[in-house]
Amino acid sequence: GDVIAAGWGGDEPLEYQANGVWEAQLSLNSGGFLFRLNGDWGYLFKRIVGTQNEIYMESQAGDAGIEIEDISLDAPGDYTVTVDLSGDTYTYSLESNQVSNPPSETPDALYLLAHGEVVFEFKKEDDKFMSGTYIPLQAEVTYELNSAIDGTGTAYSLDGIIGETSNPDGDSAFGSPGLLESPGDISPARDQAYSLEFNFATGVVNWKYYNIKLFHWDEEGGGWDSRDEFLMTYVHPHKFTTTQVLEAGYNLKFNSPWD
């Protein structure tokens, strides 16, 4: 679903533990999701409406008179995801692994600086500072966070790396490192255009970026289902490029991504 980097077109495997229990440590985004068995869209577990964590097979819910729905996650972060099929009632759980150690207070302003110059000023909403757009950051540039425009205020750093992901070529990538009240350099893992949100109440930073694909297909020779999908390469700032052999008469579409 929306919560994983591959989106609705992919899966994140849960590992079998024992006695009907599957589990995995995952970085999840906010959004909707469900559980799929054996990679088969005919076998889907969704949440039973009105329950906290009970799930039921979609293909059997109608005959059983049970109403089901996609599961939703509001707070992105690192979670232990567990599915328990050991009893008569099947359940799931999401246990947050985020270590919360928020800064002592929320500043009045927050700036991203590079080489002493302001790169971006974040917009404040209560205890959050948000980019509201996608900021082009470079891996070879060292950035700093500060509450003052000239870098003389309170300095902040991260306990993780923006852009560090096991699936950099997915439709989207995201992460939630901790926010620290201490000086420190910030160097992204890769050049990209990032959405950033700093939550001073929880001490968490949410980052996200999208990839762009070029779709290429022949309506008469297989149509949409036989399309080529070419992953485009991000080029700083705010550009995506690819070099491909394209067929005359084919349709082309830029997709970023399914949502």
Side-chain angles (χ1 to χ4, degrees), residues 1 12 53 62 66 78 83-86 98 110-111 126 134 140 147 173 179 196 201 204 220 232 235 241 245:
E12 289 285 353
N53 67 336
I66 293 176
D78 295 330
V83 172
D84 188 343
L85 310 181
S86 63
Q98 196 71 47
L110 186 66
Y111 301 91
D126 299 322
Y134 289 81
E140 64 270 21
S147 62
L179 177 62
L196 299 175
V204 172
E220 304 300 326
M232 304 188 74
V235 179
T241 182
V245 176

Side-chain angles (χ1 to χ4, degrees), residues 145 157-158 162 175-179 196-199 203-207:
L145 281 171
S157 58
L158 311 181
I162 292 174
S176 302
L179 177 62
L196 299 175
E197 178 189 278
F198 301 86
N199 191 324
V204 172
V205 180
N206 294 314
W207 62 264

Side-chain angles (χ1 to χ4, degrees), residues 12-205:
E12 289 285 353
L14 305 185
E15 296 182 4
Y16 186 64
Q17 305 300 304
N19 302 320
V21 176
W22 280 260
E23 192 171 274
Q25 311 289 325
L26 300 174
S27 293
L28 301 178
N29 195 19
S30 57
F33 69 99
L34 48 79
F35 296 104
R36 183 163 71 152
L37 286 69
N38 300 331
D40 191 332
W41 284 105
Y43 296 99
L44 305 178
F45 277 136
K46 295 186 176 183
R47 181 170 58 198
I48 299 176
V49 173
T51 70
Q52 293 294 322
N53 67 336
E54 296 181 14
I55 53 180
Y56 206 89
M57 186 80 74
E58 182 182 53
S59 60
Q60 300 173 355
D63 291 340
I66 293 176
E67 187 178 356
I68 57 175
E69 62 186 354
D70 288 355
I71 306 166
S72 61
L73 178 65
D74 295 328
D78 295 330
Y79 288 87
T80 298
V81 182
T82 306
V83 172
D84 188 343
L85 310 181
S86 63
D88 292 335
T89 301
Y90 297 164
T91 62
Y92 75 94
S93 66
L94 300 177
E95 181 180 350
S96 176
N97 299 329
Q98 196 71 47
V99 178
S100 180
N101 185 23
S104 58
E105 60 181 4
T106 302
D108 294 327
L110 186 66
Y111 301 91
L112 184 69
L113 300 93
H115 309 300
E117 300 294 330
V118 173
V119 174
F120 196 85
E121 179 180 359
F122 296 95
K123 179 181 179 181
K124 183 179 182 181
E125 291 187 10
D126 299 322
D127 290 315
K128 296 180 180 179
F129 286 89
M130 294 169 286
S131 61
T133 186
Y134 289 81
I135 309 170
L137 302 181
Q138 294 177 275
E140 64 270 21
V141 175
T142 299
Y143 301 92
E144 298 176 357
L145 281 171
N146 203 282
S147 62
I149 195 169
D150 59 359
T152 60
T154 303
Y156 304 95
S157 58
L158 311 181
D159 70 355
I161 301 174
I162 292 174
E164 187 174 58
T165 173
S166 60
N167 188 25
D169 296 336
D171 287 348
S172 63
F174 44 82
S176 302
L179 177 62
L180 307 175
E181 187 174 327
S182 63
D185 295 336
I186 298 173
S187 296
R190 53 185 44 84
D191 290 9
Q192 253 291 355
Y194 294 90
S195 169
L196 299 175
E197 178 189 278
F198 301 86
N199 191 324
F200 280 77
T202 61
V204 172
V205 180

